[in-house]
Every structure is written in structure tokens, then in C-alpha cells.
Amino acid sequence: MHDNLTERSKQILEAIIEDYIVTAEPVGSRMVTRRHGLNLSPATVRNVMADLEEMGFLASPHTSAGRVPTDKAYRLYVDSLLGVRRVAREEREEIRRHCSLTGKDIGEVLKETSRMLSSVSHYMGIVAAPRFAANVLRHLEFVKLGGQRILVILVSQSGSVQNKIIETTDNFSTEDLVRMSNYLNELLAGLTIAQVRNRLLEEMENAKTKYDSLLSKALQLSQQSLPDKDSEVFIEGRSNILDLPEFADAGRMKEIFRAFEEKGQLVGLLDQCLGAQGINIFIGAESRLSQMAGLSVITSTYMTSRNTLGVLGVIGPTRMGYAKVIPIVDYTAKMVSRLLEIE
Amino acid sequence: MHDNLTERSKQILEAIIEDYIVTAEPVGSRMVTRRHGLNLSPATVRNVMADLEEMGFLASPHTSAGRVPTDKAYRLYVDSLLGVRRVAREEREEIRRHCSLTGKDIGEVLKETSRMLSSVSHYMGIVAAPRFAANVLRHLEFVKLGGQRILVILVSQSGSVQNKIIETTDNFSTEDLVRMSNYLNELLAGLTIAQVRNRLLEEMENAKTKYDSLLSKALQLSQQSLPDKDSEVFIEGRSNILDLPEFADAGRMKEIFRAFEEKGQLVGLLDQCLGAQGINIFIGAESRLSQMAGLSVITSTYMTSRNTLGVLGVIGPTRMGYAKVIPIVDYTAKMVSRLLEIE
DNA sequence: ATTAGCACTCATCATTTCCGAGTGCTAACA
DNA sequence: TGTTAGCACTCGGAAATGATGAGTGCTAAT
């Protein structure tokens, strides 16, 4: 973007943004001169503001209100104006305190992380679980339930567990199931779930002729038990945004809640972030999702030394406290990464 | 309750309730005469309504509005006035269609049930998962993760799975873990999780002297892995209630959402329902929860032939369509029961 | 280039007015 | 005695009105 902004207009723009972030009210020329120590008269500021509006950084809700930063302004702000602070001591403590695996399962850990993010940031926390399919299979197990139902348990390298109930026509004995799972564990060890899928297909071709029917059935079973839908997203702290003045009106509130009830939309967005490592910020309409109008997303990836696992972050209004939240998300991602590091 | 209501006043009360259920507006004497084929003048109806108000069945929002049914009125309505309809064909189909286990885990099934309830009823669906602790343990398994982390997997009779990560100081080999789980499976087979807890404590007493240290450690491990918090509740379809006129105002909306973000409160209510088998209805303030003002809950228990598993139902406004929803909840509970019946 | 001054705009809030649905009461009626 | 017509009254909600004041754009002076 053409950066022909004078130092002074940048200062003024920054002042306006930061004012708006705390007040949520259109800010007028007067306020700018007052709150900031700029030795300028309101009139001068007005001229600058008119320019900034022309350039698309500000917008006026109506003639005689102050001005409001646009998405473009926030973008400039996070890219070059904002001074990123470190994470405050107490926040750091709260994040660390939360980081513990013992006695929970991965799902719980991630859900709690999401809740923690929401409570530290005062916006909504969001955590996308590792894509199961990209994970390496660590263990597979069949458990016989009553009737002809079998429970299949898949454990991935990172410790996440998926289980499924499968109804069969055959009536396997417990011993059958042990044999089957031994066989499969041998066959599939060390493959990613995606690879497992292919491998199973190959083997099933062979099995028709070579193997005895039990093992061939084992292959079929495990085929059925591969997870298909596989994106789990935890959004916590919805009620935090209920107090924000920009969502005070019932209509707006409805929209938001409806948008987040169906998490599907978000998954696409998070997948994008998964590609780009590290911090990622979507401001308002940048996300190309109509439901996200007025909302910003700050994410970071969490990962082991070998591969990136998932995405976590914070969703808040576009006027969110970027300077505070960005470091929080960054730090949390690092801590979660460390937590999930195996070995 | 003193049932000195004439046949006519009952009819009128019923008419008012049913009117209010669809319109959500205070209903006046005129409307009652019009919509219902009662050959009465508004004036007569007014007299009756005044009596009903005196008896606590009706309330006037203000002098010149119509009247609104009280909780007491709804109670009378569901207890004796209302004619329970059967479940409509399409609804029955939607419920049946949803009932399938294959390829899902129990959690998913329950969550989808909750979603289904919300979509059929147009209110919120609620499902409380079986209390894990009351379940019989079917299988226990240790899986070695990286480092000194061990994944413990517990499978209950009903097919629900809980897993936990445990960090140990010892470094167990895979063989160790297999031995340990064999030992424990033998020891604990057929006990409920609650019994398991006690049994482990007993064994640990003995183990100190009798057994070799590996098994004693196995006992410790499994002790750690018993689930402590153990009430999972799925609430789906929150956005359904956003459109109800009684929650149109932002303040009320906030309350509701805040109430359901923390599900803890509800658990107590659902536990009560768990005790009483079959259909259970709480109307408005009857639940003794301030957040539930203006809301009613209809629940039923789902169970196997041996024991009751959990509770499911619908939450909606007090003026909800009882005649339609009660059969839906009932039928769903039956179907889910059948679905989870093992053998 | 900056600023003071000034006329103008427009959302917000409080006040008023008007309307009508609905009530309670009384008196007439079957 | 139970039912109804008639009537005065109440009160919330919508629409109209007006005052307030924050904020603007423009022009002319510094």
C-alpha cells in the first residue's frame, strides 16, 4: 500500500485507533488533541482526518459523529504502528499454570486451552485439534462390545484417541479380535492415518487370495473405522463478547451466535492459518467470511519439532487489543507446543 | 391443588394458554371468544379471567394488556388439560433416521442426538452422557506415548471411552504395560468404575508386601487414571431460541447464554431427572434455578434393560409446545435406549 | 502550514400527544 | 342467577416535537 503518510498523520491515526479500541465510540478531532500530547489544534487534526478518510483509513458513521478506523487502518496498525508488548507477568503465569497434561486427555487439554485463552484475553478462545489424518498411528485396538458391536480405538502419535463403534454381521470372539489387532498393529505401525488408508486398500487386494478370511475381515473392519470427518474446533468464552458494546443490539448478537454454532465455516479459515506457520491475523472482511464482519482473528500454529499440529488463537472485535493479545497467542502456542512435544 | 375449576374455566384457560403458546402476546378476552368456538361474550370471559387471575393461573403484565399464563397454569395444563399427541410421521422418521451407531463414538452419537432434538423441536436439545463412574468397566489399556507419558484407555460396558495421559517417573517398556493391563483387566473385570476405585485401594494395601513392584505400580497408575469429573452434557441448537420474541432483548439474551456456557448448574437439575424414571417436566421457576426463569425443561431417561444410563430432553420457553415436544422427547428416549441396548 | 471562528448537521434524549386494546364495573336482560 | 351490553378509565407504545451538544467543513486571519 502507498505509504505516503507523514509521520504526523501516522501518529494521529494511531491515536485514533487506540482511543477507539478502549472507548468503542467514534473519536472526534478534539479527543485526539486532548488525550495525546500532540501540540495541534482540533482544526488541524480535522484536516488530517479528512485526508485519512479520503485514503480509506477512517470512516464516519454519520456527518456529525467522530471517525472510526477501517479494517485497512487496523491492518496498517498491526503491521507497522503497533509496538508489541511482552506478555504481562500474571498472564504468563496463568498460561503456564494451565499447561499440564496429567490426568486429562488431549481433547480436554485443548478445550481448556481455549477456555484459558478466552479468560486471559477477555475475548473468545479458539483451538483447532490436530488433524487426525495427518498423524502417525501409534496403536490400534478392537474391543468387543455386546451383540455384534465392536469398538475400534485408534491412538495417534500425539496421544489423541479416536474411537468408533462398528456393527458387524460376523460374530468375532475376543481372541479373534486380539489376533486381528496384533496383525494390524504390525502391518500399520509408523504410518500416518492417511497412509494407513492406502495401505489397507492395497492389502485388501492381496488378502482376497492370500490370507485367511479372518485377517481379510480385519482389514475391512479397520477400513470402516478410519475417521472421515476429522476437524474438531473448540470455541470457548462466547459470553465474553456479549458485553462488547458493538454487539449490544440483539440482531447483531444473533448473527454471531448463529455463525459460531456451525463451526464448519471457521475450519476453512483455520486451515489457511495451518499452512502459514506462526502468527496470523485476519481483520474483519479480510477473512472473506460475511459472518466475520466486525471480528478479527489472531492465530498461531502449535507444533512438535517434527510437524505442525494445529492452530490456536483468539477471536475478538476488530477493535481488539492487538498489542496485548498478539503476544498472548504467541506465547500460548509456544507453551502448548512444548507441552505436546513427545520426547 | 384445589381443583374447583368449572369445566368452562378450564376450557378458557386452555384456550388462553394455547393462544399464548403460538402468539407470545398477552391474550385478551376478545381473542378468546373469537379463536375458540365458545358461545360467550367477551364480558363473560372477562369475569372468568378475573377469577383465574385471582386463583393464580393468570397474570396481567399491566392494566390494559391481555393476560399471560403463569407457571402454575402451565403445570395444570401439562398435568390434566393437554391432550398428548402422537409423534408426527415426519418427526418420527427424522428421529429414526438419526439413530445409528456405526462409524461413530458414543460421544458423537449423543451430541448428534442433542442436535436432532433441537432441530425437531425447534428449541434446544440437551443430552447428559451416562455417568462414567456408574458404568461397568469392560476393558483397560495402557499405551506408551513418547517420553515418560502413558495413555490410559478405559472402555465401559456401554461403549463409552475415556482416556487420560499420565506422566510417570518410571520408564515402562511396552511389555511392562501389556503385563500391567492384563493383570488389571483380570482383576477389575465386571466391576463398576466406582467399585474399581475401592478395589484398587484394597489391592494397593496388599501389593505393598505381596506383589512385585511392577504390579504395584500398575495399581498406582490406574488409580490416577480414574475419571474424576465425569459429567458431560451436550446442549445444541442454542440459536433456535434467539428468534423467540421473549428473548429479543439483548439483556435477556445475555443471561441465557451465560447460563448455558457454564453447564455445571444444569447438571444438578438433570441428576434429579435421572432419579425419576420416564418423562420429567420442570416449568419455569420450578427448577429453583434463577437462570431458568422463563424456561421449561422436558426430559426423559434413556436406559438399557439393566440400568438407566442418562437423561435427554428439550429446553425451551415456558410457553413451549408441550403437546408436541413431550411425545418427541419420549420417543427419542426410547429410540436411544434401544440403540444403546447391548444384546 | 496552522488555527480561530462560525454556520451547519444530525444522533440522542426527554417530553408530549395520540391511539387503541383491554379492563372493571354497573345496569339491563333472559 | 348467570350472561351480556355499555361505558368510563388505564396504560403501554408509536409518532411527533424540540432542545442539546458533539462534531464537521469551510473561510479567513495569523
Side-chain angles (χ1 to χ4, degrees):
Chain A
M1 223 52 68
H2 49 147
D3 210 342
N4 45 13
L5 286 174
T6 76
E7 196 51 42
R8 193 178 63 181
S9 22
K10 282 190 196 166
Q11 274 179 28
I12 291 179
L13 182 56
E14 187 176 352
I16 293 175
I17 292 176
E18 287 177 353
D19 224 60
Y20 188 69
I21 284 180
V22 319
T23 65
E25 306 259 302
V27 9
S29 50
R30 183 154 223 161
M31 275 297 142
V32 177
T33 60
R34 204 169 297 251
R35 284 181 49 97
H36 249 255
L38 301 180
N39 274 345
L40 291 174
S41 80
T44 316
V45 173
R46 273 206 288 282
N47 290 328
V48 178
M49 283 167 83
D51 295 348
L52 287 170
E53 178 162 10
E54 184 126 13
M55 287 187 269
F57 291 109
L58 294 177
S60 349
H62 59 86
T63 330
S64 73
R67 285 182 171 89
V68 162
T70 62
D71 291 355
K72 189 176 168 188
Y74 290 118
R75 172 50 62 190
L76 181 70
Y77 179 66
V78 301
D79 284 349
S80 45
L81 269 35
L82 148 162
V84 175
R85 300 205 292 268
R86 294 211 50 209
V87 188
R89 156 184 244 101
E90 324 137 36
E91 289 163 354
R92 215 160 47 230
E93 305 227 320
E94 184 166 354
I95 295 172
R96 298 191 94 107
R97 183 158 8 99
H98 146 273
C99 281
S100 132
L101 277 182
T102 297
K104 306 176 207 161
D105 67 43
I106 294 278
E108 273 174 73
V109 171
L110 297 178
K111 189 170 197 166
E112 279 176 21
T113 303
S114 180
R115 181 161 295 152
M116 182 272 287
L117 276 167
S118 86
S119 106
V120 177
S121 69
H122 300 293
Y123 301 119
M124 291 192 287
I126 182 169
V127 177
R131 314 223 71 184
F132 200 76
N135 252 281
V136 173
L137 182 69
R138 183 179 277 274
H139 185 80
L140 174 155
E141 175 98 9
F142 294 111
V143 177
K144 188 168 151 65
L145 295 179
Q148 290 172 339
R149 291 185 186 143
I150 295 175
L151 183 72
V152 188
I153 302 175
L154 301 170
V155 183
S156 84
Q157 198 80 21
S158 62
S160 34
V161 176
Q162 293 233 349
N163 57 283
K164 288 198 170 194
I165 294 168
I166 291 185
E167 297 188 270
T168 62
T169 47
D170 306 274
N171 207 329
F172 298 104
S173 72
T174 310
E175 292 72 38
D176 288 342
L177 293 177
V178 172
R179 277 182 62 204
M180 283 159 68
S181 58
N182 284 342
Y183 165 63
L184 288 168
N185 271 316
E186 191 121 339
L187 182 68
L188 305 171
L191 302 179
T192 68
I193 309 293
Q195 289 170 325
V196 164
R197 192 168 286 142
N198 294 328
R199 187 61 190 273
L200 282 177
L201 288 174
E202 286 174 31
E203 285 298 315
M204 280 170 79
E205 283 299 309
N206 300 344
K208 275 194 198 120
T209 53
K210 278 196 212 154
Y211 296 107
D212 69 297
S213 78
L214 184 66
L215 296 191
S216 133
K217 277 176 182 150
L219 291 171
Q220 274 175 40
L221 271 193
S222 48
Q223 176 71 13
Q224 277 180 64
S225 67
L226 285 179
D228 25 17
K229 74 107 191 118
D230 135 88
S231 43
E232 211 168 0
V233 178
F234 303 98
I235 304 176
E236 296 288 326
R238 287 177 171 84
S239 61
N240 277 342
I241 66 162
L242 292 178
D243 291 317
L244 301 179
E246 47 263 71
F247 304 118
D249 120 273
R252 190 81 191 88
M253 214 143 111
K254 273 195 218 178
E255 276 181 56
I256 304 276
F257 274 91
R258 232 183 278 277
F260 289 118
E261 180 129 58
E262 206 36 77
K263 296 173 188 166
Q265 315 270 15
L266 262 183
V267 174
L269 190 63
L270 295 177
D271 271 354
Q272 277 181 58
C273 303
L274 198 59
Q277 248 173 40
I279 290 277
N280 237 288
I281 302 178
F282 286 92
I283 295 169
E286 289 179 359
S287 65
R288 304 247 172 225
L289 293 178
S290 60
Q291 312 100 6
M292 295 295 292
L295 295 177
S296 284
V297 193
I298 300 176
T299 66
S300 183
T301 49
Y302 60 92
M303 59 202 88
T304 66
S305 50
R306 274 185 296 283
N307 41 21
T308 63
L309 292 175
V311 178
L312 57 78
V314 167
I315 300 183
T318 42
R319 61 166 194 91
M320 90 169 111
Y322 295 95
K324 191 186 130 198
V325 176
I326 293 175
I328 289 176
V329 171
D330 184 50
Y331 187 71
T332 304
K334 293 212 173 82
M335 294 311 283
V336 171
S337 296
R338 194 196 290 181
L339 188 66
L340 297 182
E341 186 69 51
I342 27 179
E343 210 64 345
Chain B
M1 222 55 65
H2 47 145
D3 209 341
N4 45 13
L5 286 175
T6 78
E7 195 51 42
R8 193 178 65 181
S9 20
K10 281 190 196 165
Q11 274 180 30
I12 291 180
L13 182 56
E14 187 178 351
I16 294 175
I17 292 177
E18 286 177 355
D19 223 62
Y20 188 68
I21 284 180
V22 320
T23 65
E25 306 258 301
V27 9
S29 51
R30 183 155 224 157
M31 275 298 140
V32 177
T33 62
R34 205 169 299 252
R35 285 183 49 97
H36 248 256
L38 302 179
N39 273 347
L40 291 173
S41 80
T44 315
V45 173
R46 274 206 289 282
N47 290 329
V48 177
M49 284 168 80
D51 295 349
L52 287 170
E53 177 161 9
E54 184 127 10
M55 286 187 267
F57 291 109
L58 294 177
S60 346
H62 59 86
T63 329
S64 73
R67 287 185 170 86
V68 162
T70 61
D71 290 356
K72 189 177 169 190
Y74 289 117
R75 170 51 61 193
L76 180 69
Y77 179 66
V78 302
D79 283 350
S80 46
L81 269 35
L82 148 162
V84 174
R85 298 205 292 268
R86 294 211 51 208
V87 188
R89 156 182 245 102
E90 326 136 35
E91 290 163 355
R92 214 160 49 228
E93 305 229 318
E94 183 165 355
I95 295 172
R96 297 191 94 107
R97 185 161 2 104
H98 146 273
C99 279
S100 134
L101 277 179
T102 297
K104 307 174 204 160
D105 67 43
I106 293 279
E108 272 174 74
V109 171
L110 297 178
K111 190 171 198 168
E112 279 176 21
T113 302
S114 180
R115 181 163 295 152
M116 183 272 286
L117 277 167
S118 84
S119 104
V120 177
S121 69
H122 301 292
Y123 302 120
M124 292 193 288
I126 183 167
V127 177
R131 316 223 71 185
F132 200 77
N135 253 283
V136 173
L137 182 69
R138 184 179 276 274
H139 185 81
L140 175 155
E141 174 99 9
F142 295 113
V143 177
K144 189 170 150 68
L145 294 178
Q148 290 171 340
R149 293 186 186 143
I150 295 174
L151 183 72
V152 188
I153 302 175
L154 301 170
V155 183
S156 84
Q157 198 79 20
S158 63
S160 33
V161 177
Q162 292 234 350
N163 56 282
K164 288 199 169 192
I165 295 169
I166 291 185
E167 299 189 86
T168 62
T169 47
D170 307 273
N171 207 330
F172 298 103
S173 72
T174 310
E175 292 72 37
D176 288 342
L177 293 176
V178 171
R179 277 183 61 206
M180 285 160 68
S181 57
N182 283 343
Y183 165 63
L184 289 167
N185 271 314
E186 192 119 343
L187 183 68
L188 305 171
L191 302 180
T192 68
I193 310 290
Q195 291 171 323
V196 164
R197 191 167 287 142
N198 294 329
R199 187 60 189 275
L200 282 176
L201 288 174
E202 288 174 28
E203 285 298 316
M204 282 169 77
E205 281 300 309
N206 300 344
K208 277 197 198 112
T209 51
K210 281 196 209 154
Y211 296 105
D212 68 296
S213 78
L214 183 63
L215 297 190
S216 132
K217 276 177 183 150
L219 291 171
Q220 274 176 40
L221 271 195
S222 47
Q223 176 71 14
Q224 277 180 64
S225 65
L226 285 180
D228 25 18
K229 75 105 189 120
D230 136 84
S231 46
E232 211 169 359
V233 178
F234 302 99
I235 304 176
E236 297 289 325
R238 288 177 171 84
S239 60
N240 276 344
I241 64 160
L242 293 179
D243 291 317
L244 300 178
E246 48 261 73
F247 305 119
D249 117 274
R252 192 77 192 87
M253 214 142 111
K254 272 196 220 178
E255 274 181 57
I256 303 275
F257 274 91
R258 232 183 279 279
F260 290 118
E261 179 129 59
E262 207 34 77
K263 296 173 189 166
Q265 315 268 16
L266 263 182
V267 174
L269 190 62
L270 294 177
D271 271 354
Q272 276 181 59
C273 302
L274 198 59
Q277 248 175 37
I279 290 279
N280 238 287
I281 302 179
F282 286 93
I283 294 170
E286 289 179 0
S287 65
R288 305 246 171 226
L289 293 178
S290 60
Q291 313 99 10
M292 295 294 292
L295 294 178
S296 283
V297 194
I298 300 175
T299 65
S300 183
T301 49
Y302 60 94
M303 59 202 89
T304 66
S305 50
R306 274 184 295 283
N307 40 23
T308 62
L309 294 174
V311 178
L312 57 78
V314 167
I315 300 182
T318 42
R319 60 166 195 93
M320 92 168 110
Y322 296 96
K324 193 186 127 197
V325 176
I326 293 175
I328 290 177
V329 171
D330 184 50
Y331 188 70
T332 304
K334 293 212 173 83
M335 294 310 284
V336 171
S337 296
R338 193 197 290 184
L339 188 66
L340 297 183
E341 186 68 52
I342 26 177
E343 212 61 346

